[in-house]
Amino acid sequence: MSETANVREQRVRERWEKDNTFKQSIEKREGKETYVFYEGPPTANGMPHAGHALGRTMKDFVARYKTMSGYQVLRKAGWDTHGLPVELEVQKQLDLKGKDEIKAYGVEAFIEKCKESVFTYEREWRQFTEALGYWVDMDDPYVTLQNPYIESVWNILSTIHRNDMLYKGHRVVPYCPNCETSLSSHEVAQGYKDVTDLSATAKFLIEGTKNEYLLGWTTTPWTLPSNVAIAVNPDMTYVKVEKDDEVYVVAEALAEKLLGESPNVVGTLKGSELIGTKYDPPFNYLSLNRGHEVIGASFVTDSSGTGLVHMAPAHGDDDYQAIRESGLDFVNVVDSKGRYTEEIGPLAGRFVKDCDVDIVKMLAHNGRLFSKERYEHSYPHCWRCDSPLLYYAMEGWFIETTKMKDQLIANNEGVDWHPSHMREGRFGKFLENVVDWNIGRNRFWGTPLNVWECDSCDKQEAPASIAELRERADQELGEDIELHKPYVDGITFTCECGGTMHRTSEVIDVWFDSGSMPFAQYHYPFENEALMNKQFPADVVIEGVDQTRGWFYSLLAVSTLFTGKAPYKRVLSLGHILDENGQKMSKSKGNALNPVELIEEFGADSLRWALLADSAPWNNKRFSKKTVSQTKSKVLDTLANVHSFYKMYADIDRFDPKTVETGKQTKLDEWVLSRLNTVIAEVTKSLDAYDVTKGARTIASFLDEISNWYIRRSRARFWASGMDEDKRAAYHTLYEVITKTTQLMAPFAPFLSDEVYSNLAGESVHLTDYPVADSTQINSSLEEEMDAVRQVVELTRSIRNQTSLKTKQPLAQLAVVPVKQSAHLEAYKGIIAEETNVKTILLDANQDQYVSQQVKLNFPVAGPKLGKSVGLVQKMIAQFGDTQTQQFLDAGKMVLTLKNDQVVEIEKEDVLVEKNPLPGFEFAEGDDYLVVLDTNVTTELKEEGFVREVIRAVQVYRKELDLPVEKRVHLTIHASANVEDILQRFETFMKNHVLIEKLSFGQEDDMKSFDVEGETVSLSIQD
């Protein structure tokens, strides 16, 4: 960041802190309507990245805009402090390899280390947040590890338990063998990766035969040692196919795919006839009381595989339920670390996902491999540690969210999603497939699950508060009770049956922590009931799209379970920030942008504006350092320069808008004030619809109009000596434009807008109201006319660029040819002449005087229509003269009689129109106008152009001497006789364009020489 921006933003932050500006902005709205904002809690044991910059920028933008729009917006920060990220970081620091080593180290000591590590980067987060200009109360945050927060979470869980929606069950759940804990379905949804795995089709020998096999296909060969059954669909048709002296049983619909065209079918039977068939499995490691037989299952299809499904009850939910219903044995030969147990002799102790290749080799060696193949698919990985997940049968605690499915969907229907397709799409589909929430985690650092179970009668109790815990505890609990493991683990209750009740060992899913924040942030229901009710539900929650199945879901689920209501009215789901090549940013790839470094180099305002204006926040956006750099130069520097211009001349003239009369406005003043109010209306409409990108671009475009049109066209008014009516009007107009534009920009670029506004108006822009459009100042016709003028000027400049004719080179004539309608530009001929540096402006000109037109056949369109006559038509229209061409273009169609007497009709779409300038002219065409520039440069015009270049040299020299802009000087010029002759003839012209008291010609000491059009011109300036 340049020193100026660095100093400026630091100065503004210091002023905010000194004046308590953030606090004032909230207190000033006391009693006003509340706009409720929830802060999704980050974890401070990791550094902020570019995605955090977007999220925090968008949150701050919305909160600032709504505050300036008249709402009171409380902004309470939060810290997510529990869960696996913290544990994994501490394990890494302590070099502990899994839960056993944690227990050996000491659970209490480990918990204390977790507490210490939680805020490792809190200082960096605070500095980043402040540097970005994100106003959020970080001095009184909610912290998920603190007792008041945990007590509120316990209260919610107790309510769910009392409603019979928290239960203990044995089922197959996604499990991370590295973290040694299960995951919930919404956690799993965040970690899918495309991988290449090995699949196998194994041969299961039918009992009592020597060569008849059931073919079972699996994408997880590692589960084959756990095989207990083969499932078939009772209603499907199966065939026995003989091939290479062996007979295979497969689904009829898959026989050709598996066994080749015209397979040798030796038998047909229904799936129901196969049920009960015994078989010899590929591996015989298991000793079963009942197993290795065919069972029926309706979920079996013939869309893939073989139509027969290998069943491993510990590793698939369908498998588990089907085996239970069939009364077969349940087996599990995989331990909690994802390794085979001793029963699987040759593979014992190995991680199962690493054994797929060995399993396939063993099948081949035993003659039990039918086929194998590699295939790509999406496989779930742990969203925390990136390990591949296993599906694993285990006992766990579940919230019966399936009971609330309809209510979850109904609540979501009332939410305004941005982008809108998320409601029924990604989020809606997730809700339609919701499963019970696996709430327990077999870990250490988290909110303890507040369920106590009797070891005699299995009765359960879930205390809803610390007071209830004290009341039920067998031990005396101190005031400083610690609601974490292992401290709560030693607390017991006496059951009414006389048995002892112990707390279940699990901690809860960290997403339940963060989903409880609407209530727990205020320690509800134990205090702050009125405040919580005022702050519920949220008007908006804002996070990245990855939180669709994270925080957005947990908020909705917890609130629906606890209150029956949606916790938010609106969700802004932000896209990912990608690098300039569209790749996901990551440290390992070396393409990650550091937001702190971007702020240091370009300023927070530039980063914020770039993030909001580059593309809609919900789109994935390609982002680079260049994007921020361009924003700084095109937007922020433009505002700074506009302010600098105004301030310089206002200080010279001691202009005070409060005391100086307004003066008489010019048409240019009326235009810019009309544009200002039109822009205010457009921006407000965009921002109220959360279209921040459109709002930012509208402001940026207006800034360009202020700088490159209004100020440039008004410079002479500010240069004028004295303070006449025209100059007063210019000052008042520019003052109003700058102050209201900075108010428009304040939520986007809070630092520079506040610096400029407070410098001009004497108070923080963030304590003011967002501007409201004054419809009486809007003159649409005037805006359209001035837009037409600017179009003509831009088209003329484009011609100059293409022909290398400098703007300082005056030209004789510019003709304006209206394309759509007559050019109502008579009142603006002077402006056009000045801006284009052309002597004569011709309006409503006829292009035939300057441009020749030729029509050629558009073969892709006309060819199919004209058929064999296309060649004759082409030759005929090639001979059109100007008159005939114009008649055709005016009419839009023409009937032609060809040499073969065939009559055809051609229309405009059948031809291409080629325009060429007549000698001495060049043209450019826009949507509304075609402009033609006379490019002939006479001697007199060339001399005037030369004089203008000399004037430019004088201005450059004045700037080098750091002379005050209003200072009139004595200018001495030394050059060739021819040059001095030209300059003497243009003396009056020079004095009108440079502040010169006296112009002399001659040679003096210490003159500064310039090369002007190949001539040496030496200058001396004396004040």
Side-chain angles (χ1 to χ4, degrees):
M1 180 168 64
S2 69
E3 184 182 7
T4 302
N6 205 349
V7 170
R8 177 178 66 233
E9 294 191 352
Q10 179 62 34
R11 181 171 60 247
V12 172
R13 281 200 302 273
E14 289 172 358
R15 176 161 50 80
W16 287 348
E17 187 173 351
K18 174 177 171 288
D19 296 343
N20 279 321
T21 311
F22 173 33
K23 186 179 179 183
Q24 281 193 64
S25 73
I26 293 174
E27 291 177 345
K28 189 175 181 181
R29 305 297 181 188
E30 189 64 48
K32 301 291 185 181
E33 186 178 349
T34 300
Y35 184 89
V36 181
F37 164 86
Y38 288 166
E39 161 71 323
T43 305
N45 75 328
M47 290 286 282
H49 54 67
H52 292 123
L54 173 60
R56 286 171 117 62
T57 294
M58 190 67 185
K59 292 172 188 177
D60 186 65
F61 169 83
V62 171
R64 285 183 188 272
Y65 173 65
K66 289 299 179 180
T67 298
M68 291 182 73
S69 298
Y71 296 90
Q72 185 180 50
V73 188
L74 303 182
R75 283 156 267 181
K76 190 178 183 71
W79 295 110
D80 195 4
T81 57
H82 285 145
L84 274 171
V86 180
E87 288 198 42
L88 295 176
E89 186 66 27
V90 173
Q91 278 185 237
K92 186 177 177 182
Q93 291 171 8
L94 300 175
D95 195 26
L96 300 177
K97 307 287 193 299
K99 290 164 71 173
D100 292 342
E101 291 190 17
I102 291 173
K103 290 174 182 176
Y105 176 81
V107 173
E108 184 173 359
F110 182 75
I111 294 296
E112 290 305 312
K113 284 290 184 183
C114 287
K115 283 184 193 173
E116 291 171 17
S117 82
V118 161
F119 294 112
T120 303
Y121 298 110
E122 181 189 12
R123 180 170 168 271
E124 286 80 0
W125 271 91
R126 181 180 283 269
Q127 288 177 342
F128 163 65
T129 301
E130 291 173 352
L132 190 64
Y134 177 26
W135 275 356
V136 63
D137 186 359
M138 299 182 74
D139 295 325
D140 182 29
Y142 66 87
V143 183
T144 60
L145 64 78
Q146 293 176 348
N147 272 11
Y149 196 96
I150 293 174
E151 187 175 27
S152 291
V153 173
W154 274 20
N155 184 271
I156 296 169
L157 281 166
S158 179
T159 301
I160 294 169
H161 187 266
R162 284 199 305 271
N163 292 336
D164 292 326
M165 295 185 72
L166 177 62
Y167 68 92
K168 190 175 188 180
H170 192 271
R171 56 191 291 185
V172 175
V173 293
Y175 180 83
C176 176
N178 182 53
C179 300
E180 296 183 63
T181 190
S182 58
L183 286 80
S184 59
S185 61
H186 52 274
E187 288 179 294
V188 174
Q190 297 180 71
Y192 275 88
K193 284 184 169 186
D194 290 332
V195 296
T196 300
D197 273 333
L198 189 63
S199 68
T201 301
K203 293 152 61 172
F204 298 75
L205 181 64
I206 296 174
E207 194 175 273
T209 73
K210 291 182 179 180
N211 67 340
E212 292 190 17
Y213 297 93
L214 305 167
L215 288 188
W217 177 68
T218 179
T219 59
T220 53
W222 63 267
T223 63
L224 284 169
S226 302
N227 175 264
V228 171
I230 291 289
V232 298
N233 189 317
D235 299 324
M236 264 168 43
T237 301
Y238 292 81
V239 291
K240 290 184 176 184
V241 178
E242 185 175 15
K243 184 177 182 181
D244 300 331
D245 298 326
E246 292 184 334
V247 176
Y248 303 113
V249 177
V250 296
E252 182 181 43
L254 295 164
E256 284 200 5
K257 179 182 177 184
L258 294 164
L259 297 154
E261 289 185 22
S262 304
N264 183 18
V265 177
V266 296
T268 302
L269 63 166
K270 280 286 186 184
S272 55
E273 297 176 65
L274 285 168
I275 294 173
T277 300
K278 298 282 189 176
Y279 63 84
D280 180 39
F283 300 106
N284 282 298
Y285 299 119
L286 307 178
S287 297
L288 304 179
N289 292 319
R290 186 183 169 197
H292 298 147
E293 65 180 75
V294 178
I295 62 173
S298 60
F299 59 78
V300 178
T301 70
D302 55 12
S303 60
S304 62
T306 64
L308 297 94
V309 177
H310 139 69
M311 308 293 282
H315 306 298
D317 196 43
D318 286 337
D319 307 46
Y320 178 77
Q321 298 298 335
I323 294 295
R324 281 184 60 188
E325 290 169 8
S326 300
L328 275 63
D329 288 5
F330 172 85
V331 297
N332 183 10
V333 294
V334 180
D335 68 16
S336 62
K337 291 180 170 58
R339 303 174 303 197
Y340 285 118
T341 59
E342 292 302 318
E343 294 167 271
I344 313 302
L347 301 175
R350 290 184 57 189
F351 181 55
V352 295
K353 283 288 288 178
D354 293 339
C355 293
D356 282 344
V357 172
D358 296 280
I359 293 287
V360 171
K361 286 180 179 178
M362 291 163 71
L363 286 172
H365 179 74
N366 296 336
R368 292 300 189 91
L369 179 66
F370 178 78
S371 66
K372 65 178 180 179
E373 65 176 339
R374 294 244 170 221
Y375 74 108
E376 285 189 13
H377 67 140
S378 188
Y379 191 85
H381 287 65
C382 179
W383 70 291
R384 291 302 196 192
C385 74
D386 213 29
S387 296
L389 301 180
L390 306 179
Y391 281 83
Y392 196 90
M394 61 190 300
E395 192 171 60
W397 288 91
F398 299 86
I399 295 176
E400 207 168 0
T401 39
T402 47
K403 270 189 180 178
M404 301 293 294
K405 175 181 171 180
D406 290 344
Q407 188 63 51
L408 287 167
I409 292 171
N411 285 346
N412 180 50
E413 283 298 315
V415 175
D416 180 18
W417 278 83
H418 294 261
S420 58
H421 64 75
M422 295 287 286
R423 182 172 53 223
E424 283 77 29
R426 181 173 175 147
F427 195 69
K429 285 182 170 58
F430 182 70
L431 294 182
E432 287 174 5
N433 296 295
V434 73
V435 297
D436 286 351
W437 189 343
N438 179 12
I439 196 72
R441 296 291 177 272
N442 297 301
R443 294 297 302 192
F444 306 96
W445 178 236
T447 298
L449 183 56
N450 54 321
V451 178
W452 271 253
E453 296 180 287
C454 179
D455 53 15
S456 297
C457 70
D458 295 329
K459 177 180 169 62
Q460 297 176 0
E461 286 189 27
S465 64
I466 294 174
E468 279 188 31
L469 183 65
R470 283 202 174 93
E471 185 181 321
R472 289 291 291 115
D474 296 332
Q475 298 80 12
E476 190 73 32
L477 303 181
E479 287 300 314
D480 58 347
I481 181 174
E482 169 72 64
L483 296 184
H484 279 113
K485 289 170 71 71
Y487 313 108
V488 293
D489 293 343
I491 299 172
T492 59
F493 301 168
T494 299
C495 183
E496 58 188 20
C497 77
T500 301
M501 303 183 79
H502 296 273
R503 193 190 73 82
T504 187
S505 63
E506 290 89 346
V507 295
I508 67 166
D509 178 6
V510 69
W511 290 106
F512 196 92
D513 268 1
S514 55
S516 302
M517 64 76 56
F519 318 102
Q521 68 174 336
Y522 296 121
H523 195 208
Y524 176 84
F526 305 101
E527 55 181 323
N528 299 317
E529 183 175 359
L531 179 58
M532 200 289 294
N533 289 333
K534 178 182 176 183
Q535 291 294 109
F536 180 88
D539 285 284
V540 70
V541 291
I542 306 168
E543 293 295 340
V545 66
D546 51 315
Q547 294 302 321
T548 308
R549 293 158 188 183
W551 193 52
F552 297 151
Y553 172 73
S554 63
L555 279 173
L556 182 66
V558 172
S559 180
T560 302
L561 287 159
F562 190 48
T563 70
K565 301 174 183 176
Y568 42 66
K569 301 175 185 176
R570 185 175 294 102
V571 177
L572 308 187
S573 176
L574 310 179
H576 295 297
I577 295 186
L578 310 174
D579 71 11
E580 55 192 329
N581 299 313
Q583 299 295 311
K584 190 174 181 180
M585 288 187 184
S586 71
K587 289 182 181 177
S588 60
K589 290 181 183 176
N591 65 346
L593 284 176
N594 184 326
V596 175
E597 291 176 1
L598 290 172
I599 291 171
E600 288 172 351
E601 185 169 358
F602 302 108
D605 285 337
S606 297
L607 175 59
R608 289 170 61 115
W609 195 284
L611 287 168
L612 297 175
D614 179 60
S615 61
W618 10 98
N619 295 339
N620 290 340
K621 61 181 68 204
R622 295 189 178 196
F623 205 71
S624 67
K625 184 175 175 179
K626 183 180 177 183
T627 311
V628 186
S629 174
Q630 289 177 339
T631 294
K632 180 181 183 301
S633 61
K634 291 182 179 179
V635 180
L636 281 308
D637 288 352
T638 300
L639 175 61
N641 292 337
V642 166
H643 173 240
S644 178
F645 175 89
Y646 170 87
K647 184 70 175 156
M648 177 173 62
Y649 288 102
D651 287 348
I652 290 169
D653 287 325
R654 294 183 174 84
F655 172 76
D656 183 349
K658 298 183 184 69
T659 59
V660 176
E661 292 181 7
T662 55
K664 185 178 181 181
Q665 291 178 349
T666 64
K667 194 172 282 288
L668 193 64
D669 297 329
E670 293 173 9
W671 167 79
V672 78
L673 291 173
S674 177
R675 286 292 301 133
L676 171 66
N677 285 281
T678 296
V679 166
I680 290 171
E682 290 175 352
V683 170
T684 302
K685 182 180 179 181
S686 296
L687 301 192
D688 284 345
Y690 296 88
D691 191 347
V692 296
T693 300
K694 185 176 181 181
R697 291 177 177 178
T698 302
I699 296 171
S701 178
F702 181 55
L703 263 178
D704 181 69
E705 292 174 3
I706 298 168
S707 175
N708 291 320
W709 192 254
Y710 179 76
I711 287 180
R712 198 158 52 74
R713 292 291 315 147
S714 300
R715 284 186 187 277
R717 301 168 72 190
F718 292 96
W719 291 344
S721 58
M723 183 69 83
D724 59 13
E725 275 199 321
D726 181 57
K727 194 173 187 180
R728 292 200 304 270
Y731 271 124
H732 276 286
T733 299
L734 188 53
Y735 175 85
E736 182 176 354
V737 167
I738 295 175
T739 52
K740 288 189 175 176
T741 300
T742 52
Q743 287 176 313
L744 286 174
M745 293 179 69
F748 295 92
F751 293 102
L752 179 58
S753 59
D754 200 25
E755 174 87 343
V756 172
Y757 187 89
S758 61
N759 179 270
L760 299 182
E763 67 172 326
S764 172
V765 71
H766 304 295
L767 300 179
T768 68
D769 292 337
Y770 211 67
V772 176
D774 180 356
S775 59
T776 64
Q777 291 200 57
I778 295 177
N779 184 335
S780 299
S781 298
L782 176 59
E783 290 188 43
E784 289 172 10
E785 290 167 3
M786 196 66 80
D787 182 58
V789 172
R790 297 184 72 218
Q791 281 186 50
V792 169
V793 170
E794 288 304 316
L795 288 169
T796 308
R797 286 177 182 162
S798 72
I799 298 172
R800 282 185 174 273
N801 289 336
Q802 291 164 15
T803 55
S804 300
L805 282 166
K806 295 179 181 178
T807 304
K808 291 190 181 298
Q809 174 59 62
L811 295 172
Q813 180 179 289
L814 176 70
V816 180
V817 181
V819 174
K820 294 180 180 176
Q821 57 186 2
S822 181
H824 301 295
L825 300 174
E826 188 65 39
Y828 304 95
K829 287 173 71 173
I831 292 178
I832 295 172
E834 285 182 21
E835 288 293 322
T836 60
N837 197 12
V838 175
K839 301 297 183 183
T840 304
I841 308 297
L842 298 178
L843 301 178
D844 293 322
N846 187 334
Q847 72 174 0
D848 292 348
Q849 297 176 257
Y850 313 100
V851 177
S852 67
Q853 295 187 96
Q854 186 177 0
V855 290
K856 294 182 178 180
L857 209 57
N858 184 359
F859 282 97
V861 175
K865 176 178 171 182
L866 298 173
K868 293 179 180 179
S869 301
V870 69
L872 291 172
V873 174
Q874 169 65 359
K875 287 179 182 178
M876 195 166 185
I877 66 171
Q879 296 171 7
F880 278 8
D882 291 344
T883 303
Q884 200 171 7
T885 298
Q886 194 60 51
Q887 286 174 350
F888 166 63
L889 294 175
D890 289 343
K893 58 185 177 180
M894 181 175 282
V895 176
L896 303 176
T897 303
L898 306 180
K899 286 184 179 180
N900 59 6
D901 294 330
Q902 183 184 355
V903 177
V904 298
E905 183 178 73
I906 58 169
E907 298 175 299
K908 269 190 177 179
E909 60 264 28
D910 296 326
V911 301
L912 300 171
V913 182
E914 187 178 279
K915 294 181 179 179
N916 292 295
L918 297 178
F921 299 100
E922 292 292 341
F923 74 91
E925 190 168 14
D927 291 337
D928 300 317
Y929 300 99
L930 179 145
V931 299
V932 184
L933 189 61
D934 182 345
T935 56
N936 295 292
V937 181
T938 64
T939 301
E940 186 177 354
L941 291 172
K942 189 170 184 179
E943 287 180 347
E944 184 181 329
F946 179 83
V947 173
R948 287 177 180 271
E949 291 295 338
V950 172
I951 291 170
R952 185 186 65 80
V954 173
Q955 301 289 30
V956 169
Y957 192 28
R958 282 184 65 115
K959 199 168 187 180
E960 287 179 9
L961 296 173
D962 200 24
L963 292 174
V965 292
E966 78 279 11
K967 184 72 174 176
R968 294 187 175 273
V969 297
H970 177 189
L971 173 65
T972 303
I973 300 176
H974 175 68
S976 67
N978 181 52
V979 169
E980 289 191 4
D981 176 60
I982 294 171
L983 296 177
Q984 285 173 351
R985 284 190 279 111
F986 280 87
E987 182 174 349
T988 303
F989 181 85
M990 287 188 68
K991 286 184 175 180
N992 287 338
H993 288 79
V994 186
L995 292 177
I996 301 173
E997 189 71 41
K998 181 180 179 183
L999 175 62
S1000 303
F1001 295 92
Q1003 194 163 7
E1004 295 187 3
D1005 295 335
D1006 301 323
M1007 298 187 87
K1008 175 81 179 241
S1009 295
F1010 292 86
D1011 184 299
V1012 180
E1013 304 287 345
E1015 294 275 359
T1016 299
V1017 178
S1018 301
L1019 305 176
S1020 173
I1021 294 179
Q1022 296 175 342
D1023 55 19

